Amino acid sequence: MHIIVKLFAQYREGRFKVEQREYPKGATAQTVIDELCLENTSPLGVLMVRGKHVQPTYTLQEGDEVALFPKVGGG
Amino acid sequence: MADLIYRVNMSELSFKIEEVPSKWMGLGGRGLTSTIVAEEVDPECHPLGPNNKMVFAPGLLSGTSASNSGRNSCGAKSPLTGGIKESNVGGTSAGIFSKLGVKALIIEGLPKDENTFYQLHVTKNKVEFIPVPELVGKDNYAVLDAMMAKYDKKVAVMSIGRIGEMRMNIANISVKDPSGKLRSHGRGGLGAVMGSKKIKCITVDAADYKEVTIADPEKFKEASKVFTKALQENPISGQGLPAFGTNVLVNILNEAGGLPTRNFRQGNWEHAENICGETMAENIKARGGKTTHGCHAGCVIQCSQVYNDKEGKYLTSGFEYETIWALGAHLGIQDLDLIAKMDGLMDDLGVDSIETSVVLGLAVDAGILAYGDGQKAYELLSHDIPMGTPLGRIIGAGTHILGKTYGLVRVPTVKGQGIPAYEPRAVKGQGITYATTPMGADHTAGYAVATNILNSGGHVDPLKKEGQVELARNLQIATAAVDSTGMCIFVAFAALDDAKCLPSLIDMINARFGCALTIDDVMNLGKTILRTEHEFNIKAGLNSASDRLPEFMKYEILPPHNVTWDFTGEEIDEFWNF
Ligand code: SF4
């Protein structure tokens, strides 16, 4: 499956901003998080697919855009 | 020595030093300013007339060694909203007021002589009224320089620029920060109130005093350690905020479809990457600015920064998401350096960077400039507004009045105050805060974005109505209490997610004053403050119809999630059921 992965804040360091990547059918958002070792950098803060918050157990669909943020805040 | 109330009368150019009445004893910051305004100001008075009062009050913990406790509150009836206003600021004023033993500075009346502006110089048991004709027509940095030249020591400086002198609704009160830059009592036109009272600046000298006493120093130290640790260990206050500042929000709101774009027509902006926190942090690194900077001594979070231009020359500090959003996605400027230059200029001019940028964005709809025309926006800001041209005055009156003047329907305000940075239709909890807070559309009053978008304090789906009223209510109550302690609101992230944070904050208050407050007491304080402010507003003529978002949000569908503002009036009014 083609999946667009977008990384933000500290997750970009040593990785990328946005990439189209390949994942097998049945892969979840957690697969992406693990493959990129994101939580070695910082705990996961926000996970969105197509602009909506989902859980890491979310099963990816062809063409999904996955956005991953470490814990960030402001206001 | 016990703290005292300094009461200044501008009609008589006189002052009195009063003991703190027992009912005000346990209050500080917003709790105290709102209580005094509600008790002493006629809600029907004209905000710029003789019967409005300005109240400054440091927080309960200001002046102590507690981390992030250096916020100072200013309250009055707002010329922008027509309701009660409290706006708090970092900088050096809270600490210095506390060290001098000033519980609150209350300023009443108007001078009879309309042509003289004064410097109020506050020292131990004394307030001097110094005419400052040489500073009239000058902006904040010139005032700051003059005061620094005059006093060869640390004094607090609060000042207004030309726009405050002209009593425009966008005028703020600027406060010197520890590095000689400016922070502001931003929202609600408090600078216009100061201008109406003919006060160009207030200086406070506490050099030889240290009146802050701690009833139980051991207990205080212990609690303070726990509290600081909670702030430092929290991934948001410990890492995210220092690394990227608040501007890290551009991308997250953009992804969530909650970044108001083209005057609230869309929830994403195609150019977000140009102005986002990540880009800002890269520029800072490449150009030798500072990613971390505290707006007051004792801030361990340091969300502020120093942002330089390509040549490494200072452009601005305290460069916040809401301002960047407004000049960016809302008004269309894609050049982060120009946005920074405008931010720095707004500090010097002494205008609320949110209201000013939101109204400049609305000026696009009014046909005054084209979307994305940064040069024209800069010209309006640097020329028309500070020169007080008729167009400058209309813009300087704020978003609501510009909308009325140009016959616009799509005017993003609540209670006359511009809505910042978070699309209410796509971040519905924040929409409830905007609708209900007595302050007018103020994002800090109950930051539901935390739980709607950032997963702080759990998660409430931003696109659904369920749970939003309760969320906004709980956050507003907690915020009203926190705003009374002198704490910066960013301690809330640790408070929402770390069970040790809030108890240690309360332990510090108890150790400082030798009292035994519980979490319930503190929450009750928050409720009392909100109710007090709400009652003032009702007497001032703001009713439940004022607790509403602009109507266009009900019938215009916002992409990309295709949502509307779908709360009924009764559902919103449930907010006040506590
Ligand atoms: S976190 Fe930011 S706003 Fe809060 S005290 Fe520190 S610099 Fe100021």
Side-chain angles (χ1 to χ4, degrees):
Chain A
M1 290 186 299
H2 302 308
I3 303 290
I4 309 265
V5 178
K6 299 182 183 175
L7 302 180
F8 298 95
Q10 294 98 318
Y11 285 171
R12 288 185 173 180
E13 284 155 29
R15 298 192 186 87
F16 54 87
K17 286 184 187 172
V18 51
E19 259 182 31
Q20 179 170 320
R21 297 172 77 89
E22 292 300 314
Y23 290 95
K25 237 186 154 31
T28 62
Q30 188 68 47
T31 317
V32 181
I33 296 165
D34 293 343
E35 183 213 23
L36 294 169
C37 305
L38 294 181
E39 300 212 90
N40 290 352
T41 302
S42 187
L44 180 73
V46 175
L47 163 62
M48 286 188 260
V49 173
R50 297 176 192 262
K52 292 194 176 165
H53 290 73
V54 296
Q55 295 296 319
T57 50
Y58 170 88
T59 307
L60 298 174
Q61 314 287 322
E62 172 67 31
D64 269 351
E65 269 189 37
V66 182
L68 295 141
F69 297 80
K71 273 260 169 204
V72 291
Chain B
M1 232 187 98
D3 290 341
L4 295 165
I5 304 285
Y6 285 47
R7 188 183 291 274
V8 165
N9 185 319
M10 291 306 292
S11 308
E12 314 290 339
L13 300 181
S14 65
F15 71 93
K16 277 192 285 193
I17 311 273
E18 300 168 355
E19 277 176 22
V20 180
S22 59
K23 58 186 177 182
W24 293 353
M25 217 58 118
L27 300 171
R30 173 175 168 188
L32 187 54
T33 63
S34 287
T35 300
I36 296 175
V37 170
E39 268 181 39
E40 298 196 355
V41 174
D42 176 1
E44 295 179 4
C45 77
H46 194 294
L48 303 179
N51 294 319
N52 198 6
K53 299 188 186 186
M54 290 180 86
V55 184
F56 291 90
L60 289 170
L61 290 172
S62 300
T64 71
S65 60
S67 299
N68 288 62
S69 62
R71 308 281 298 186
N72 202 36
S73 289
C74 178
K77 178 172 174 175
S78 161
L80 184 76
T81 67
I84 198 165
K85 178 57 73 176
E86 182 270 353
S87 174
N88 61 72
V89 69
T92 58
S93 56
I96 291 178
F97 269 131
S98 303
K99 290 202 169 101
L100 197 62
V102 179
K103 177 95 174 161
L105 169 67
I106 305 174
I107 303 173
E108 339 179 315
L110 296 184
K112 291 176 193 85
D113 169 10
E114 289 216 349
N115 297 315
T116 307
F117 270 90
Y118 294 89
Q119 171 199 352
L120 299 191
H121 188 56
V122 183
T123 51
K124 194 71 185 169
N125 295 326
K126 191 166 162 198
V127 179
E128 288 163 79
F129 302 81
I130 308 166
V132 283
E134 70 283 5
L135 295 180
V136 173
K138 296 271 182 0
D139 291 323
N140 285 313
Y141 279 114
V143 176
L144 207 54
D145 287 348
M147 293 305 123
M148 291 301 98
K150 193 162 167 183
Y151 303 101
D152 156 35
K153 53 183 159 186
K154 270 192 203 157
V155 292
V157 183
M158 289 153 266
S159 61
I160 57 169
R162 282 175 284 172
I163 291 161
E165 289 177 23
M166 288 185 270
R167 304 178 301 283
M168 294 193 203
N169 285 337
I170 61 172
N172 69 21
I173 298 172
S174 297
V175 179
K176 180 179 168 290
D177 84 2
S179 54
K181 300 296 182 206
L182 297 165
R183 311 291 301 191
S184 25
H185 293 283
R187 309 225 63 194
L190 292 172
V193 180
M194 188 152 147
S196 75
K197 299 200 178 300
K198 302 287 165 194
I199 299 169
K200 184 67 185 172
C201 66
I202 303 171
T203 45
V204 189
D205 176 4
D208 301 324
Y209 295 90
K210 207 169 182 318
E211 300 282 12
V212 182
T213 50
I214 308 274
D216 186 341
E218 267 318 299
K219 216 177 120 198
F220 188 89
K221 222 164 124 194
E222 225 168 89
S224 165
K225 246 193 231 155
V226 177
F227 181 72
T228 304
K229 199 156 164 257
L231 297 186
Q232 285 169 332
E233 284 179 355
N234 181 273
I236 297 181
S237 48
Q239 286 180 25
L241 276 169
F244 299 99
T246 61
N247 198 31
V248 75
L249 293 168
V250 167
N251 273 332
I252 201 160
L253 268 301
N254 192 44
E255 280 303 312
L259 186 77
T261 298
R262 295 182 170 77
N263 190 26
F264 295 78
R265 287 182 172 85
Q266 298 154 240
N268 331 93
W269 195 39
E270 60 279 20
H271 305 296
E273 191 60 34
N274 292 354
I275 62 161
C276 68
E278 290 87 340
T279 300
M280 181 167 113
E282 270 174 38
N283 290 353
I284 290 175
K285 263 183 216 137
R287 299 167 177 188
K290 273 204 225 157
T291 49
T292 56
H293 174 254
C295 72
H296 69 263
C299 165
V300 297
I301 304 177
Q302 308 229 323
C303 78
S304 181
Q305 59 301 98
V306 174
Y307 188 87
N308 296 337
D309 67 10
K310 289 196 181 87
E311 276 74 52
K313 235 179 70 217
Y314 175 89
L315 281 176
T316 197
S317 56
F319 196 21
E320 302 274 356
Y321 163 65
E322 287 75 20
T323 309
I324 297 169
W325 155 77
L327 293 174
H330 177 61
L331 161 57
I333 303 177
Q334 295 178 39
D335 176 358
L336 189 58
D337 291 0
L338 177 58
I339 295 177
K341 191 172 156 194
M342 291 177 72
D343 187 61
L345 177 58
M346 288 192 275
D347 283 345
D348 190 28
L349 292 174
V351 292
D352 174 14
S353 63
I354 299 180
E355 192 64 37
T356 307
S357 307
V358 172
V359 66
L360 284 171
L362 186 68
V364 172
D365 278 17
I368 296 168
L369 74 170
Y371 186 71
D373 186 349
Q375 291 319 317
K376 179 70 186 175
Y378 188 80
E379 187 189 312
L380 291 166
L381 180 65
S382 60
H383 176 77
D384 290 85
I385 299 176
M387 298 303 286
T389 67
L391 178 60
R393 295 245 184 196
I394 292 168
I395 295 173
T399 314
H400 179 72
I401 289 180
L402 180 81
K404 284 233 180 277
T405 312
Y406 280 80
L408 302 177
V409 174
R410 307 181 74 272
V411 180
T413 57
V414 182
K415 300 182 179 72
Q417 181 166 296
I419 299 179
Y422 309 94
E423 176 47 77
R425 287 165 284 186
V427 192
K428 290 190 192 287
Q430 195 60 33
I432 293 291
T433 286
Y434 286 152
T436 52
T437 163
M439 298 297 146
D442 174 352
H443 64 288
T444 65
Y447 194 60
V449 178
T451 310
N452 276 179
I453 302 288
L454 306 171
N455 294 341
S456 206
H459 181 71
V460 173
D461 189 335
L463 300 170
K464 300 213 173 92
K465 295 204 293 186
E466 287 70 44
Q468 307 292 8
V469 172
E470 201 190 345
L471 174 66
R473 184 195 296 132
N474 290 339
L475 286 168
Q476 285 193 49
I477 290 168
T479 303
V482 169
D483 282 344
S484 305
T485 62
M487 286 291 158
C488 149
I489 193 60
F490 294 146
V491 307
F493 290 108
L496 282 167
D497 287 333
D498 183 338
K500 291 188 292 298
C501 181
L502 202 53
S504 62
L505 174 56
I506 295 166
D507 287 346
M508 283 192 291
I509 299 174
N510 287 335
R512 156 105 155 89
F513 296 99
C515 51
L517 298 175
T518 62
I519 292 208
D520 282 349
D521 295 331
V522 173
M523 290 306 146
N524 283 333
L525 169 68
K527 287 181 190 171
T528 307
I529 296 168
L530 275 186
R531 286 197 195 106
T532 303
E533 293 169 343
H534 187 52
E535 278 161 26
F536 181 95
N537 279 359
I538 290 172
K539 288 186 207 147
L542 299 171
N543 53 27
S544 57
S546 318
D547 281 0
R548 299 292 181 261
L549 293 182
E551 189 200 10
F552 77 88
M553 293 187 176
K554 290 209 254 183
Y555 56 76
E556 263 188 33
I557 297 168
L558 180 85
H561 294 305
N562 300 324
V563 276
T564 55
W565 180 250
D566 46 0
F567 284 90
T568 64
E570 295 73 56
E571 285 167 340
I572 297 170
D573 295 342
E574 260 305 296
F575 176 91
W576 290 107
N577 248 333
F578 62 83

